[in-house]
Amino acid sequence: MGGGELKYDMSQNAYIKLVLHALKHKSSAVNGVLIGRSTDDVVEIVDSVPLFHNHLGVLPPLEISLIMIEEYYSAQGLGIVGYFHANERFDDGELLNLAKNIADHIYRYFPRAAILLLDNKKIEALPKEKDRSPVMQLYTRDASKNWKLTGSDGGSRLVLKEPAANIVLLDFISSQKWQDVIDFDDHLDDITKDWLNPDLFK
């Protein structure tokens, strides 16, 4: 890994799906995984899978979901490249141990894994700010294996592939598209609900 040059390139759909998942379950913590591939100095995040809004730290559902996700995406040459987390409380910007533990698990299989932590204040400011930067904070593991917020030190950076992603996100929020997001909690309750969310962007 080049000296802190690693970049995380995130597709618009992967990004929007996770934010909508968090908005659907505003009063609870939610999580998800990032799907992609890695090249020399870029981790490409091409998709995301919303995981849970009830059973965030419960191992059996988590393990089942990760196995199913790996099986599905590995056929496309893709894998799990990171973890997404949104805290329960709106004003909570801390990276919790639960998030770190799940991310540590992913890191064992993919040593460039990152954590994206939702920044609620940035979401709230979106309509006013017209900001093009992601409404998430990027954490990567440093040499001492601690998860560290990146970006301000010129280290690993999160970049949205489509510059207008936040404008599209606002459209989706105003049309309450978040109601359509299905996560693994929904799927495990009713297996006819598709965790791949094939119709979300139609």
Side-chain angles (χ1 to χ4, degrees), residues 63-81:
E63 286 173 345
I64 290 166
S65 64
L66 293 179
I67 289 166
M68 287 172 69
I69 292 165
E70 278 288 1
E71 278 179 357
Y72 177 82
Y73 283 100
S74 63
Q76 303 171 38
L78 300 169
I80 295 172
V81 297

Side-chain angles (χ1 to χ4, degrees), residues 5-202:
E5 296 298 306
L6 193 58
K7 209 169 69 160
Y8 292 82
D9 247 5
M10 191 169 195
S11 79
Q12 179 171 288
N13 286 6
Y15 170 70
I16 288 175
K17 199 189 298 183
L18 291 177
V19 178
L20 292 179
H21 181 222
L23 291 174
K24 182 176 182 179
H25 304 285
K26 273 186 167 167
S27 57
S28 54
V30 305
N31 62 0
V33 288
L34 313 173
I35 307 295
R37 60 174 78 82
S38 180
T39 58
D40 292 345
D41 53 0
V42 177
V43 175
E44 260 191 283
I45 302 165
V46 299
D47 204 353
S48 62
V49 179
L51 287 177
F52 302 106
H53 59 274
N54 283 330
H55 305 112
L56 265 69
V58 183
L59 270 179
L62 179 66
E63 286 173 345
I64 290 166
S65 64
L66 293 179
I67 289 166
M68 287 172 69
I69 292 165
E70 278 288 1
E71 278 179 357
Y72 177 82
Y73 283 100
S74 63
Q76 303 171 38
L78 300 169
I80 295 172
V81 297
Y83 174 74
F84 167 79
H85 194 90
N87 287 332
E88 182 175 351
R89 287 205 342 269
F90 180 87
D91 57 351
D92 186 356
E94 288 295 304
L95 187 63
L96 306 179
N97 282 333
L98 170 67
K100 293 176 188 172
N101 292 343
I102 298 175
D104 283 342
H105 175 75
I106 293 168
Y107 187 92
R108 284 206 291 275
Y109 299 93
F110 182 74
R112 291 175 149 194
I115 301 175
L116 298 182
L117 180 67
L118 189 71
D119 185 337
N120 281 313
K121 293 191 171 69
K122 279 192 108 171
I123 289 187
E124 196 178 43
L126 266 187
K128 303 183 283 288
E129 303 270 318
K130 302 287 185 281
D131 190 351
R132 292 186 164 215
S133 64
V135 295
M136 299 172 182
Q137 296 174 321
L138 176 73
Y139 286 79
T140 53
R141 279 216 334 191
D142 60 19
S144 56
K145 299 201 168 25
N146 293 316
W147 291 99
K148 185 167 116 314
L149 181 61
T150 64
S152 52
D153 59 354
S156 306
R157 292 181 317 125
L158 176 65
V159 179
L160 292 174
K161 274 202 170 126
E162 292 90 344
N166 279 340
I167 297 166
V168 179
L169 173 60
L170 278 174
D171 277 350
F172 275 45
I173 293 171
S174 63
S175 62
Q176 302 194 344
K177 191 74 174 157
W178 35 265
Q179 293 177 354
D180 300 338
V181 176
I182 291 164
D183 64 12
F184 259 92
D185 267 332
D186 300 324
H187 174 73
L188 293 173
D189 287 343
D190 174 359
I191 58 166
T192 63
K193 293 185 173 177
D194 191 343
W195 54 270
L196 286 164
N197 288 281
D199 300 324
L200 190 61
F201 297 105
K202 284 187 176 164

